[in-house]
Structures are given as C-alpha cells and as structure tokens.
C-alpha cells in the first residue's frame, strides 16, 4: 500500500493553487493552511446518533491502522460531519498531507480575476414569505415556553448552464475572508452505488467565521459567535451598526445562551476554563458578530479535538436551546434537509490535536449547481422581517464569491 506523505516546506499560496476539486481537502485558518489529497483510508460513519463513542473508536482504529501500514509522520483524519447525526459523515485519512503558514492575503488585492460570466437560475427554498412564517412558528414555541432559542435556516438553489469553477470560488473566498476559516471538502457522490456511469463531484465550500473548537496538547479554545448585524459600506453607518449590535439586549441574550451551553459542554473535559464576562465584536467582509473566546486546560492529553467537537455539536449558535427540543423544532419547521450546513469541517491527528470549524457561510456545489445556506437565531424579541434580513446578509459571503449580489433575493 502507498505510504502517506506529510510535506511542510511549501507556501500557503502553493497549497491553494494545488487544490483540485473532488480529490482534495483544504482548510485555511488565521494560523495555518492545510491541503490533504487522495484517500488512504475511509472512516465508517453511517448514522451515529447516540453512538459518538463509536465514531471516536472508528477514527482511533483507522489512524492506528494507517500508522502500522507505513504512514510517514502523524496520520490525520480530515472531512465533514453533518448537522444531523442520523446522516453519515465524510471522514478520511488522506494519502498526502501538506501544511503551511497562513495565507498572505494583503498582497493579493486586485490579483483575483473575475468569475466566468455564468448565468444562474435562482430558486429560494423556502420562499421569503414561507421563511417569515417559519420564524413566526419558532416565536410561538418560544412564547409557549418550549424553547429559549431556535435557529431557522433557508437556502438558495442556483443552477448554471456552465460547470461551477470550484477552485476559483475557493480562491475568492480565501482572499475576501482573511480572518476566517476557508474550506473545501469533497463529499460523496449522491449517485454512488447507482448504475449512472457518471461520477459527479460534490463539494462543501465556504468561509466560516466560527471556530467550534481547537486542541493543541492540553490547550483547548472555542470561539462561539451569536448575535449578528450586516455591515455597511458607509464607515459611520457601519460603526453605528456595530455599536447597536453590542448594546442590543436581544442579541446579548442570544449570545449568552450560546456561551453558557458551550462552557457547560467543555467543563467536564477541563481542569481550568476561562469564560470572559463580556463578548467582543468581530467582523467579516459582510457581517458584524458578537464573539467570545473560551479557553481552557484539558484534564487529560488523551482527550481528542474530535471528541470535544462531538460533545459541542450542535451548539445553540446553529441549533437552539434546549438542544433536543430545538432540533425537533427544526425538523418540523424547516422545509429542506440541511445536510452538512451547520455541521462541522476539520481535522484531528493521532495525538488528538486538531481544529473543527462550524460549517456556515457555505454552499454545496455539484457540477452545474450550488445550494447556498443561511440561518438566524430566533429568540424572544426576534421579528420575521429582521431574521429574513439577517439571512439575506449572510448569503452575501457566497454570493460575492460567485459574482452575484443580494438583488437576486428580491
């Protein structure tokens, strides 16, 4: 069997240039860049609801087997895990791994060419009116006392007569989101196992602002985001929106619910845990967010980043609270299957170190089509029109990379 190679003496720009649709996993963070290619082994993960220890056992065994079969250096697992644990994840041990430092974004200004002039047919699922009705349903359940928060999402289905240029979209996302986590993960062909005779490339592609969890040695960091406002091109208006978000009782409440849940999930694994009393403001090119960096020291080096990620997933930032009731409400209210949206993307090595990102500001790309996703947290004080506007703003990350604007939403 071919040995897996780990290569470190390459630039981040080279890794981005070497990305190939259908055969690569790419993740650029503010600290490092990872390109994984080929498949050395696949982790069995079919439907693991209530079986989180089982998936951890599978990952441990596959990594041990890979090392015994001649992997050079520390083997890693990379891939994506869906929002709903009833669906299979996509986790592999790659045959080649390349690492580098962060991408040097500043020098690329103006160097990324325009997209091909693709024309798209756009279909919102659900429609804007149906989404507002969904938010009303969520607010009714909150008023009844069943829920404190529920995250409700919508999608845009885009169809083109030309094949989607995934490497170009990835490059545009990376350049325009230097403070976030740009990713591309190959997904299984929907037609796998069928006698279609043609393999379709399917990719989860995005630029998320949110770190679910990272682990290095005994050090653990989580950076949940909750509470958002769209950016403005006018500097004064942009600052006004940031100040309004920071002082918003509704958004501060939404944020506090998430921080409480994340801290409670991490505490059983930690010797110490630091949770700031006040959130901070961070921004992407399109959004302001309330952010809290939670850090701690793990009680044992045997705890892995994937174990922490599975304990946290899904957080109230993408699901709601109480989590079981919010998840049930989402299944009953939302009119589409989320798939890997609001799941997680990342890596874990055989020493347990790793980094897992919340799969938001993303799209599922399949040859000639894209499915874009956006969600908003519904809490007491939310309004249907407000949540519709928030999701429209969150679509902008992917729409700008594609070369479209929010005008298609009207």
């Amino acid at each position: 069997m071919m040995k897996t190679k780990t290569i470190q003496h390459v630039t981040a720009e080279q890794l981005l240039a070497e990305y190939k649709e259908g055969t690569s996993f790419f993740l650029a963070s503010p600290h490092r860049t990872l390109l994984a290619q080929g498949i050395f082994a696949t982790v069995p993960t079919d439907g693991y609801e209530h079986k989180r220890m089982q998936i951890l056992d599978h990952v441990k065994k596959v990594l041990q087997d890979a090392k015994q079969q001649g992997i050079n250096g520390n083997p890693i697992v990379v891939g994506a895990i869906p929002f709903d644990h009833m669906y299979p994840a996509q986790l592999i041990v790659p045959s080649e791994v390349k690492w580098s430092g962060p991408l040097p974004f500043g020098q690329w200004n103006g160097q990324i060419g325009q997209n091909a002039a693709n024309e798209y047919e756009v279909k919102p699922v659900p429609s804007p009116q149906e989404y507002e009705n969904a938010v009303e349903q969520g607010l009714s359940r909150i008023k009844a006392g069943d829920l404190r928060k529920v995250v409700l999402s919508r999608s845009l289905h885009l169809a083109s007569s030309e094949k989607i240029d995934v490497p170009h979209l990835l490059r545009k996302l990376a350049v325009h989101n230097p403070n976030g986590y740009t990713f591309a993960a190959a997904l299984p062909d929907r037609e796998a196992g069928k006698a279609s005779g043609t393999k379709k490339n399917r990719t989860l592609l995005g630029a998320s602002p949110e770190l679910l969890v990272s682990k290095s040695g005994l050090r653990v960091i989580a950076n949940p985001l909750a509470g958002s406002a769209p950016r403005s091109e006018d500097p004064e208006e942009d600052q006004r929106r940031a100040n309004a978000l920071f002082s918003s009782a509704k958004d501060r409440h939404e944020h506090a619910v998430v921080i409480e849940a994340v801290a409670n999930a991490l505490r059983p694994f930690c010797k110490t845990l630091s949770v700031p009393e006040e959130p901070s403001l961070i921004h992407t090119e399109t959004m302001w967010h309330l952010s809290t960096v939670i850090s701690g020291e793990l009680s044992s080096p045997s705890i892995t980043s994937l174990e922490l990620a599975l304990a946290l997933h899904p957080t109230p930032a993408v699901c709601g609270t109480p989590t079981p009731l919010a998840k049930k409400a989402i299944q009953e209210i939302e009119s589409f299957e989320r798939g890997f949206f609001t799941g997680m993307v990342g890596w874990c090595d055989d020493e347990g170190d790793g980094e897992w990102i919340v799969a938001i500001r993303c799209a599922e790309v399949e040859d000639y089509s894209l499915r874009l996703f956006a969600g908003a947290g519904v809490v007491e004080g939310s309004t249907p029109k407000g949540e519709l506007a928030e999701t429209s703003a969150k679509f902008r990350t992917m729409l700008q990379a594609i070369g479209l604007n929010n005008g298609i939403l009207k």
Side-chain angles (χ1 to χ4, degrees):
M1 182 177 287
M2 180 179 68
K3 292 185 177 182
T4 294
K5 296 185 291 182
T6 301
I7 301 171
Q8 293 182 307
H9 301 295
V10 289
T11 66
E13 300 101 304
Q14 284 177 291
L15 299 191
L16 186 56
E18 290 177 17
Y19 167 81
K20 291 184 177 63
E21 179 188 3
T23 61
S24 302
F25 174 91
F26 181 88
L27 177 61
S29 79
H31 312 292
R32 62 176 70 85
T33 305
L34 164 64
L35 177 69
Q37 295 174 305
I39 300 177
F40 187 90
T42 300
V43 179
T45 60
D46 286 346
Y48 52 93
E49 180 72 11
H50 307 306
K51 298 177 183 176
R52 297 190 181 189
M53 293 308 296
Q54 186 177 1
I55 192 173
L56 293 172
D57 289 342
H58 286 325
V59 168
K60 183 178 180 180
K61 184 178 186 306
V62 169
L63 287 173
Q64 287 175 342
D65 290 347
K67 201 158 193 174
Q68 290 172 2
Q69 293 175 40
I71 270 192
N72 294 330
N74 294 334
I76 70 170
V77 161
V78 302
I81 291 176
F83 169 72
D84 192 332
H85 297 122
M86 291 299 292
Y87 293 89
Q90 175 70 2
L91 297 175
I92 64 162
V93 177
S95 53
E96 182 176 85
V97 176
K98 296 182 180 181
W99 295 95
S100 188
L103 288 163
F105 299 97
Q107 68 187 47
W108 287 356
N109 289 339
Q111 295 183 21
I112 302 300
Q114 295 298 314
N115 283 338
N118 288 34
E119 292 186 2
Y120 295 93
E121 292 182 8
V122 182
K123 179 183 178 182
V125 179
S127 69
Q129 182 58 58
E130 288 169 335
Y131 181 73
E132 290 188 0
N133 293 341
V135 173
E136 289 281 12
Q137 292 180 54
L139 287 169
S140 295
R141 298 190 186 209
I142 291 168
K143 187 175 181 180
D146 298 335
L147 297 168
R148 292 173 66 192
K149 173 182 177 177
V150 60
V151 179
L152 295 174
S153 306
R154 62 190 185 113
S155 66
L156 292 178
H157 295 198
L158 276 62
S160 172
S161 60
E162 299 181 39
K163 193 173 185 300
I164 310 300
D165 188 344
V166 173
H168 185 79
L169 287 184
L170 179 64
R171 192 172 179 84
K172 289 202 73 174
L173 286 167
V175 169
H176 288 283
N177 295 276
N179 299 317
Y181 301 84
T182 305
F183 58 86
L187 301 178
D189 182 0
R190 293 185 193 277
E191 301 298 317
K194 296 183 181 179
S196 62
T198 303
K199 182 183 183 301
K200 292 184 178 180
N201 287 322
R202 194 160 67 101
T203 306
L204 180 68
L205 180 74
S208 174
E210 187 165 2
L211 170 69
L212 180 64
V213 67
S214 68
K215 184 243 177 184
S216 179
L218 290 174
R219 179 76 167 169
V220 60
I221 297 175
N223 186 195
L225 309 180
S228 306
R231 301 287 306 276
S232 170
E233 294 182 0
D234 176 75
E236 290 187 7
E237 172 61 17
D238 193 47
Q239 188 59 54
R240 188 199 68 76
R241 292 182 185 185
N243 295 340
L245 173 63
F246 192 75
S247 60
S248 164
K250 173 258 183 186
D251 289 290
R252 292 290 288 260
H253 167 65
E254 180 183 346
H255 190 78
V257 167
V258 173
I259 300 312
E260 179 186 8
V262 171
N264 287 342
L266 286 176
R267 280 196 180 93
F269 298 97
C270 293
K271 187 185 300 182
T272 62
L273 192 69
S274 173
V275 184
E277 293 184 5
E278 287 275 309
S280 59
L281 277 169
I282 67 166
H283 64 78
T284 66
E285 193 172 53
T286 60
M287 299 293 295
W288 285 102
H289 296 286
L290 292 179
S291 164
T292 295
V293 177
I294 299 172
S295 60
E297 181 183 359
L298 296 172
S299 57
S300 169
S302 66
I303 299 168
T304 71
S305 63
L306 182 56
E307 183 177 1
L308 295 168
L310 290 172
L312 288 169
H313 176 64
T315 73
V318 297
C319 182
T321 188
T323 300
L325 291 177
K327 197 169 182 181
K328 186 172 184 293
I330 289 167
Q331 292 168 340
E332 292 171 353
I333 295 173
E334 287 188 351
S335 58
F336 65 96
E337 173 52 49
R338 289 189 180 188
F340 289 88
F341 169 60
T342 62
M344 55 185 178
V345 177
W347 61 275
C348 179
D349 68 18
D350 71 330
E351 294 180 350
D353 289 349
E355 195 168 43
W356 294 92
I357 313 307
V358 182
I360 53 177
R361 311 296 189 276
C362 64
E364 240 184 58
V365 186
E366 187 171 20
D367 286 351
Y368 297 85
S369 66
L370 303 97
R371 282 204 308 157
L372 279 58
F373 306 94
V378 179
V379 296
E380 185 178 357
S382 295
T383 65
K385 289 195 179 301
E387 304 312 296
L388 181 68
E390 181 175 324
T391 53
S392 295
K394 289 175 176 176
F395 278 129
R396 287 171 58 198
T397 297
M398 287 302 308
L399 289 175
Q400 287 180 354
I402 294 164
L404 301 175
N405 59 50
N406 271 28
I408 70 167
L409 301 178
K410 297 176 182 177

